[in-house]
Amino acid sequence: MRIVDIIEKKRDGGVLSTEEIQFFIKNYTEGKIPDYQISALLMAIYFQGMTAKECADLTMAMIHSGETIDLSSIKGIKVDKHSTGGVGDTTTIVLAPLVAALGVPVAKMSGRGLGHTGGTNDKFESIPGFKIELTKQEFINQVNTDGVAVIGQSGNLTPADKKLYALRDVTGTVNSIPLIASSIMSKKLAAGADAIVLDVKTGDGAFMKTDEDAQKLAHEMVNIGNNIGRRTMAIISDMSQPLGFAIGNALEVKEAIDTLRGHGPKDLTELVLTLGSQMVVLAGKAATLDEARQKLQQVIADGRAIEKLKVLIKAQGGDSSVVDHPEKLPTAAYQVELLAKQSGYVSKIIADKVGVAAMQLGAGRATKDDIVDPSVGIVLHKKVGDKVAEGESLLTIHSNTQALDAIKAKLYECIFISDSAKEPTLIHKIITQ
Ligand code: URA
Ligand code: CA
């Protein structure tokens, strides 16, 4: 087999065979095919697309390029959740204990933040003592005894995806639906869950700017998962503004605590109940999404959900008294309000720019080696559709420096006020097959 024949076949709109896909993934991972030939192939895929079968073959080939994780020693149906990335996306901290409170085993592997999106690991680490780096055995034991564990990405999962993603980043080929779908699904499937719930974000702050593309991506991923024998569902959710009120590590932990107690922000609560219902159904703990939602609301109301968060924090070495005393979480030295310059309705909050502002306060990383400040960030007081009077606070900046003129100017550019505005729809669609 020759790589140049594979490139020409795809360039001319042909369908690649399983063997051809395995050939280029294996040889590229082993360094036997140069970047320039794979760049040409990626561009051909970008323009010609892939059939569902090609996309599934690509995913399988990437899974088998490295280690996979075996969760079979954990009892029950393990359900994973994946978000395509957002700003102030506090969902994992809420969802993990919430669905675990219903007896769904949660073995969650999550990442750190880079750029304008925050990472779940950094958020958990803002809890004094919390340890995210567990050994594989500690991780599995904890799920079996406590029903929930969260671990940093470990091992050599999908090396083919690491190489391909880096190449796509510099060759203008990131935004291809089959390439994104196989990249995400290979990582999820290699991590060993029996079932997967996908949160595909749509809007200005997301990869997929339109509903149509978000739906195509969701369908592609749901098909891959189900064809490989892992039950998979997806939702399409709005990312035209940050999720919830808080953006920042300790601030989002506090927001998660509020949500698990039943008084979190409306959009975050709705997203968590929607994703959580799918997880509970996939895990076989409820027959319908409605029944699952009722059960989730019940564990929030009777306190079992918040108790599970305490169990999780304690099991991973953290100080679980922060749940009853959030004031023990790291707190920034200064709280500065951003006041509205005019009256009206908030019509737009540019999510990715707000994320960059939070990062510049120290809540995120510009490069992989930056150190995150757990205490800083932004808490919104107004969301899209809310009425605001001149001089009212739009948001609070939590900062360890008083030099905030540049950040304030930037935040004013993120928030638009006009004569009328309506609240965006949060859940655009639910995709089960
Ligand atoms: N996230 C991924 O993991 N891969 C992509 O291709 C895009 C987003
Ligand atoms: Ca949030």
Side-chain angles (χ1 to χ4, degrees):
M1 219 175 275
R2 295 194 320 154
I3 182 69
V4 65
D5 298 326
I6 298 175
I7 297 168
E8 287 175 2
K9 186 173 181 187
K10 186 42 82 181
R11 179 199 65 195
D12 297 337
V15 175
L16 302 182
S17 69
T18 307
E19 293 72 27
E20 285 166 333
I21 288 170
Q22 287 170 347
F23 173 84
F24 86 74
I25 288 296
K26 179 170 187 296
N27 286 287
Y28 182 55
T29 309
E30 291 172 0
K32 293 176 186 158
I33 301 176
D35 283 351
Y36 56 80
Q37 285 183 307
I38 297 300
S39 301
L41 180 59
L42 289 170
M43 191 58 83
I45 294 171
Y46 181 92
F47 281 113
Q48 296 291 359
M50 281 187 140
T51 65
K53 166 111 187 347
E54 284 178 295
C55 199
D57 285 343
L58 178 57
T59 307
M60 285 306 287
M62 294 213 285
I63 293 171
H64 291 127
S65 70
E67 250 181 83
T68 56
I69 295 186
D70 181 4
L71 297 179
S72 60
S73 57
I74 297 171
K75 297 175 282 289
I77 301 172
K78 280 78 63 184
V79 188
D80 202 354
K81 188 264 322 179
H82 181 84
S83 148
T84 61
V87 175
D89 189 349
T90 317
T91 49
T92 297
I93 312 173
V94 186
L95 269 177
L98 177 60
V99 303
L102 280 178
V104 177
V106 177
K108 182 87 189 101
M109 195 177 272
S110 41
R112 294 195 182 278
L114 185 62
H116 73 275
T117 59
T120 298
N121 296 354
D122 300 312
K123 295 172 195 177
F124 273 117
E125 278 181 346
S126 72
I127 299 166
F130 196 100
K131 205 166 79 151
I132 201 87
E133 308 295 344
L134 307 175
T135 66
K136 243 185 235 177
Q137 201 51 51
E138 285 172 332
F139 177 63
I140 286 172
N141 291 348
Q142 188 182 315
V143 181
N144 275 330
T145 50
D146 299 313
V148 57
V150 183
I151 191 178
Q153 222 106 41
S154 70
N156 181 32
L157 297 190
T158 60
D161 177 63
K162 286 197 189 82
K163 283 190 82 172
L164 282 176
Y165 195 84
L167 191 59
R168 286 164 59 207
D169 211 19
V170 294
T171 55
T173 51
V174 167
N175 244 335
S176 148
I177 288 172
L179 294 178
I180 296 175
S182 55
S183 165
I184 291 176
M185 290 304 287
S186 65
K187 280 176 284 205
K188 288 286 110 180
L189 296 164
D194 303 307
I196 297 157
V197 172
L198 300 161
D199 179 11
V200 179
K201 306 286 190 189
T202 174
D204 289 343
F207 273 113
M208 297 290 115
K209 312 284 180 206
T210 69
D211 254 30
E212 199 193 337
D213 279 349
Q215 279 187 45
K216 272 193 212 151
L217 176 62
H219 276 293
E220 195 79 59
M221 291 195 287
V222 167
N223 285 338
I224 293 170
N226 287 320
N227 285 336
I228 291 172
R230 317 272 185 100
R231 290 186 66 197
T232 307
M233 289 187 189
I235 69 161
I236 312 283
S237 75
D238 187 73
M239 230 323 128
S240 63
Q241 63 175 339
L243 188 67
F245 300 121
I247 303 137
N249 299 291
L251 294 169
E252 288 187 54
V253 169
K254 187 169 175 307
E255 181 168 74
I257 293 168
D258 291 341
T259 308
L260 285 164
R261 288 195 193 283
H263 27 84
K266 195 171 104 184
D267 58 349
L268 175 61
T269 302
E270 178 56 26
L271 183 62
V272 158
L273 289 174
T274 305
L275 291 168
S277 303
Q278 294 196 334
M279 293 173 77
V280 169
V281 167
L282 289 174
K285 302 282 182 189
T288 65
L289 291 172
D290 283 341
E291 184 196 337
R293 177 179 282 253
Q294 278 173 22
K295 288 187 165 176
L296 291 170
Q297 284 167 326
Q298 184 58 41
V299 292
I300 291 174
D302 67 20
R304 275 184 286 164
I306 197 78
E307 284 308 311
K308 205 60 171 182
L309 177 62
K310 289 183 193 169
V311 168
L312 167 64
I313 293 173
K314 198 158 168 227
Q316 299 200 210
D319 176 2
S320 61
S321 73
V322 300
V323 174
D324 292 323
H325 299 281
E327 70 279 3
K328 288 189 180 175
L329 287 164
T331 306
Y334 307 103
Q335 275 85 43
V336 178
E337 306 301 319
L338 190 80
L339 305 180
K341 290 178 176 171
Q342 65 185 93
S343 299
Y345 292 85
V346 175
S347 58
K348 194 171 178 173
I349 304 178
I350 304 176
D352 39 2
K353 276 195 176 178
V354 175
V356 170
M359 181 194 86
Q360 287 170 336
L361 287 166
R365 294 183 182 78
T367 73
K368 262 191 347 216
D369 304 320
D370 284 355
I371 291 173
V372 162
D373 180 341
S375 68
V376 300
I378 291 165
V379 177
L380 302 171
H381 303 306
K382 300 288 177 185
K383 300 263 304 199
V384 172
D386 287 348
K387 195 172 178 177
V388 60
E390 186 186 337
E392 222 183 329
S393 179
L394 293 166
L395 56 87
T396 305
I397 301 169
H398 293 248
S399 170
N400 282 320
T401 160
Q402 275 181 300
L404 291 171
D405 288 350
I407 295 261
K408 280 174 120 179
K410 194 168 260 175
L411 285 167
Y412 274 120
E413 289 173 9
C414 300
I415 304 184
F416 292 72
I417 297 172
S418 59
D419 293 341
S420 69
K422 75 176 202 322
E423 192 184 324
T425 306
L426 179 69
I427 310 294
H428 293 214
K429 208 171 167 96
I430 294 184
I431 291 161
T432 54
Q433 225 7 288

